[in-house]
Amino acid sequence: MDCLFLPAESGARLDATTEAYWLPREGSGAWLPLGDCTAQAAAPVTLVLPAEACSYFAVNLPTRKARWISQALAYAVEELLAENVDELHLTHGEALADGRRRVIAIRRQTLADWLADLDALGLNIVAIHVDADLLPREDTQLLFIGERALLGGSPEARLAFASAQWPQLAAQCPPPVHARGSLAEPPAPLDDYQQLDDPYRFLAAGRSAALDLAQGDFAVRAAGEGLGRWKPLFVVIGLVLLVQLGFNLAQAWYLERQAEQYAEASR
């Protein structure tokens, strides 16, 4: 699936001139204006948000039932946020080793505006991820993309920072630390490092394990599902029509028999 990576400096609104990293399903990616990305998009697209646009934490929830988690989530994170929880879109994911559940938060209006702008440009967004959350789930993971670095892995932290700041952050991250990236000589300390030709392709490979922000009010319906919410109504209408058809047939049969009886009586 094609992937669209929004830049860290994305503004409140997007337009055809906004630069983003376009990664087609096959072939190499490139930074392009969104107008050019639209011209190349021939199928549904995965949207990848910059880590700078979101907040990340893990919380204990009083229930494990899926139908109650979303309701309990708002109360669980309210004390951790300086903003009104009603203005945030909260996405919950897998449970950590200590039982807490991973949560990603983003301003509801920001996400709604971005999706509306991309839809207006003709991009069919079917999944939404955060770049730092696309890193592998094992140990501490680092990805250096030029001067920008991403932190992820099994701990709850998801972070974007300047690559040169890694030595100051290293002591806060549990070992082992696995790093990859586009830098020929990354900053130490690292347990191992692998240089990549296209870090964005590496990120895209982690979509299956990453949290999908297309939940709740932002759940993305696949093509052909736009009438899904009307399905119960269509079922009711179908049953009414079926009953009406049966009644009409029964009435026709009754009138026909009655006409035969009148004809016989007349003879």
Side-chain angles (χ1 to χ4, degrees):
M1 184 182 297
D2 298 337
C3 293
L4 179 69
F5 291 79
L6 293 184
E9 62 275 10
S10 295
R13 303 307 298 256
L14 307 173
D15 57 38
T17 64
T18 302
E19 293 279 335
Y21 191 86
W22 176 254
L23 182 67
R25 181 174 55 182
E26 298 180 357
S28 59
W31 286 96
L32 299 171
L34 285 178
D36 293 344
C37 297
T38 301
Q40 296 188 28
V45 176
T46 294
L47 175 64
V48 182
L49 307 178
E52 291 86 345
C54 304
S55 299
Y56 315 88
F57 36 83
V59 296
N60 286 310
L61 295 177
T63 179
R64 294 184 179 181
K65 295 183 178 180
R67 61 178 178 175
W68 299 114
I69 285 180
S70 296
Q71 299 180 18
L73 188 59
Y75 295 98
V77 304
E78 191 170 12
E79 296 181 357
L80 303 175
L81 299 169
E83 302 180 62
N84 185 350
V85 69
D86 293 333
E87 298 179 358
L88 299 174
H89 172 57
L90 303 175
T91 302
H92 59 273
E94 76 275 13
L96 304 180
D98 58 6
R100 293 179 302 160
R101 190 168 292 274
R102 192 183 301 279
V103 179
I104 295 180
I106 183 173
R107 289 187 180 90
R108 184 179 299 273
Q109 190 60 52
T110 297
L111 182 56
D113 289 342
W114 283 348
L115 290 176
D117 294 338
L118 294 173
D119 181 67
L121 291 170
L123 290 168
N124 179 23
I125 305 299
V126 297
I128 308 169
H129 301 294
V130 178
D131 52 11
D133 193 53
L134 291 171
L135 293 172
R137 259 36 187 177
E138 301 80 20
D139 304 325
T140 298
Q141 301 285 338
L142 277 176
L143 182 66
F144 296 100
I145 310 176
E147 297 180 355
R148 180 173 178 261
L150 300 175
L151 174 67
S154 59
E156 66 183 82
R158 298 289 183 264
L159 184 65
F161 58 95
S163 298
Q165 294 178 346
W166 168 243
Q168 288 74 42
L169 295 172
Q172 309 299 322
C173 300
V177 178
H178 308 292
R180 301 171 181 83
S182 60
L183 300 178
E185 297 183 3
L190 298 172
D191 291 294
D192 57 70
Y193 179 73
Q194 178 184 358
Q195 191 171 1
L196 302 175
D197 294 330
D198 189 350
Y200 293 99
R201 180 71 65 183
F202 174 75
L203 286 175
R207 287 175 296 169
S208 60
L211 274 68
D212 188 352
L213 277 65
Q215 299 181 15
D217 295 340
F218 293 95
V220 181
R221 292 189 297 271
E225 294 183 356
L227 299 178
R229 59 179 178 175
W230 299 104
K231 185 176 180 180
L233 177 60
F234 293 153
V235 172
V236 172
I237 293 176
L239 290 176
V240 171
L241 293 176
L242 184 62
V243 171
Q244 183 65 41
L245 178 61
F247 174 77
N248 291 341
L249 291 175
Q251 187 179 43
W253 178 83
Y254 172 76
L255 293 175
E256 185 177 356
R257 292 295 303 272
Q258 192 175 46
E260 291 177 355
Q261 292 176 1
Y262 288 153
E264 183 63 25
S266 297
R267 285 195 292 271

